[in-house]
Amino acid sequence: MTDQGLHVTGGAGLTALFEGVSWQAIVLRGVAGILFGLFAVMAPVAAATTIVLVFSIYLMADGFLAIASAIKAMRHKNSWGLLALEGVVDIIASLVLFLMPGLALVTFVVIVAVWALFAGGLKLITAMRRGPVEARGWLALSAIISLLFGVVLLISPLAGGIVLTWWLGIYGLVFGVALLILGFQVRSAQKKAALAA
């Protein structure tokens, strides 16, 4: 009995997964994430005052690069819809942030705080159900952290803005490095596939 081609490993699996996708676009997205992360971590006060604009620029760059990857995948008759959708959503979010000067840092932080409280509350309710919940302790811990984070942001949104900037910066760095590594792995796998063809 065969596995119907569902299980692929190594370079072949990577090539199949990213067939037709531009490795250069993946690497550029990684570089954009790293640059955003470095700016946010190394200059948190400056970044905090311009976080909405900086994040808007990052989203715009990421959106165009995602669309570029989708176009290349479409030309090679590969799956491209979700990648294109991600790019369009990124660009729309970027334009909304850029064109709304009233969306100040405090407003941005308050929105994140409300989201953290809401998400934490839902997790806590799920963790406290009477029925068995898998990994209840970790779920409850993540709920408490989310709730505390939301409260801290609401109590001191300006200080919270700097902390949030650091977190976004660290996220940008980790995400950027991961994309950078992925991009070069895709490049290597595509080269091997081309040589084997």
Side-chain angles (χ1 to χ4, degrees):
M1 184 172 182
T2 66
D3 62 2
Q4 305 295 320
L6 294 176
H7 300 288
V8 285
T9 57
L14 197 62
T15 302
L17 188 61
F18 290 95
E19 188 177 357
V21 175
S22 168
W23 68 267
Q24 296 96 331
I26 297 173
V27 167
L28 286 174
R29 290 177 74 182
V31 170
I34 290 169
L35 290 175
F36 168 75
L38 286 174
F39 174 68
V41 169
M42 294 174 71
V45 176
T49 57
T50 58
I51 190 66
V52 175
L53 179 60
V54 172
F55 196 59
S56 169
I57 293 168
Y58 168 71
L59 282 176
M60 181 68 71
D62 192 56
F64 277 118
L65 290 169
I67 288 174
S69 288
I71 290 170
K72 183 167 182 182
M74 182 177 62
R75 286 179 181 160
H76 287 86
K77 300 186 189 300
N78 295 309
S79 178
W80 57 272
L82 289 177
L83 199 55
L85 180 62
E86 178 191 354
V88 169
V89 169
D90 281 356
I91 290 170
I92 290 171
S94 172
L95 289 173
V96 168
L97 291 174
F98 188 78
L99 296 174
M100 292 180 66
L103 188 64
L105 175 63
V106 172
T107 307
F108 183 69
V109 171
V110 168
I111 289 170
V112 173
V114 170
W115 167 80
L117 290 170
F118 182 73
L122 287 179
K123 286 179 186 176
L124 196 59
I125 290 168
T126 303
M128 294 301 127
R129 281 185 183 168
R130 289 189 178 191
V133 177
E134 194 174 333
R136 183 191 302 257
W138 289 111
L139 188 61
L141 179 62
S142 69
I144 291 166
I145 291 170
S146 183
L147 289 168
L148 289 174
F149 177 60
V151 169
V152 168
L153 288 181
L154 283 179
I155 291 172
S156 182
L158 288 177
I162 293 173
V163 173
L164 183 62
T165 302
W166 281 333
W167 285 16
L168 286 172
I170 291 167
Y171 166 78
L173 285 171
V174 172
F175 183 70
V177 168
L179 281 180
L180 207 60
I181 292 168
L182 175 63
F184 285 115
Q185 285 179 339
V186 168
R187 174 178 178 260
S188 176
Q190 287 175 348
K191 275 190 173 181
K192 286 178 185 175
L195 289 173

